[in-house]
Amino acid sequence: MEATSDRQTGEQAADWDRLWAEQDETTDDLDAERGSLRWRTQSRLVENRFGAFEGLEVIEVGAGRSTNALLYALHGARATVVDRSTVALEQSRRRFARHGLDVRAVEADLFELPADLRDRFDVSMSFGLCEHFLGHRRQQVVAAHLELVRPGGLAVLNVPNRLSPPYRAW
């Protein structure tokens, strides 16, 4: 898919396979993420809701290389990751394998999630996904997270602020 504008939605298309293929796969950002406010907040939310990570079923949507799903798995959760990019999913598989962990990697479009994923997870999450969509489609992104969690589950969406200095520098 070329990086052209979708006239109907006003969204920018992206070639995610190319983007992930260009990333240095040997760079591991786990330590940085583990020390971040984002991870500390998630840890607190999960521990307050469930008591621990052990045994939880979690899913990261638009997962990329699945940094947060991997952190959950390192704390005892069973992880599923969903992305449209086969390159990102393969990188995720290798990344989990390097840590001796299993991951279920599902190639799927966020707007057409497989039925067997619905109402199945304790935690659904995404980081840097929602801002790629506008209007009704952005609402569908949020709704998809809620469809994935079982009753009593937790949906975590992190949406970068494009005006934030760290985001602008990135």
Side-chain angles (χ1 to χ4, degrees):
M1 181 183 320
E2 290 183 28
T4 58
S5 179
D6 181 331
R7 289 184 185 162
Q8 187 176 23
T9 66
E11 297 167 1
Q12 293 292 320
D15 183 346
W16 293 106
D17 280 339
R18 183 180 56 77
L19 179 122
W20 287 112
E22 292 173 354
Q23 300 296 313
D24 180 1
E25 200 175 331
T26 62
T27 301
D28 202 339
D29 55 353
L30 280 180
D31 288 336
E33 186 63 27
R34 190 179 285 121
S36 72
L37 175 61
R38 176 171 50 204
W39 176 250
R40 290 192 311 270
T41 301
Q42 288 177 79
S43 296
R44 216 171 14 255
L45 288 169
V46 167
E47 289 169 1
N48 287 343
R49 174 68 58 95
F50 304 108
F53 287 84
E54 189 70 36
L56 293 179
E57 291 282 344
V58 303
I59 186 166
E60 187 169 356
V61 183
R65 291 192 332 187
S66 312
T67 298
N68 283 269
L70 179 55
L71 284 172
Y72 278 73
L74 287 167
H75 284 83
R78 288 182 300 276
T80 298
V81 297
V82 175
D83 205 293
R84 284 183 14 181
S85 169
T86 57
V87 173
L89 291 172
E90 191 52 43
Q91 289 179 1
S92 293
R93 286 184 191 98
R94 287 192 294 268
R95 193 172 193 201
F96 272 75
R98 282 194 298 273
H99 289 276
L101 296 168
D102 292 324
V103 64
R104 178 179 178 203
V106 178
E107 183 181 349
D109 186 299
L110 159 69
F111 302 106
E112 298 174 17
L113 292 169
D116 69 322
L117 297 180
R118 297 179 194 280
D119 297 315
R120 180 168 168 226
F121 297 93
D122 299 298
V123 178
S124 68
M125 62 185 124
S126 67
F127 306 90
L129 172 67
C130 198
E131 73 273 13
H132 294 283
F133 303 96
L134 301 170
H136 179 67
R137 285 173 47 96
R138 184 173 288 174
Q139 292 171 347
Q140 288 178 298
V141 171
V142 174
H145 285 75
L146 298 175
E147 291 172 9
L148 292 167
V149 294
R150 59 185 71 164
L154 180 66
V156 178
L157 288 81
N158 180 261
V159 182
N161 177 345
R162 68 183 177 91
L163 301 177
S164 162
Y167 181 77
R168 292 177 70 78
W170 178 78

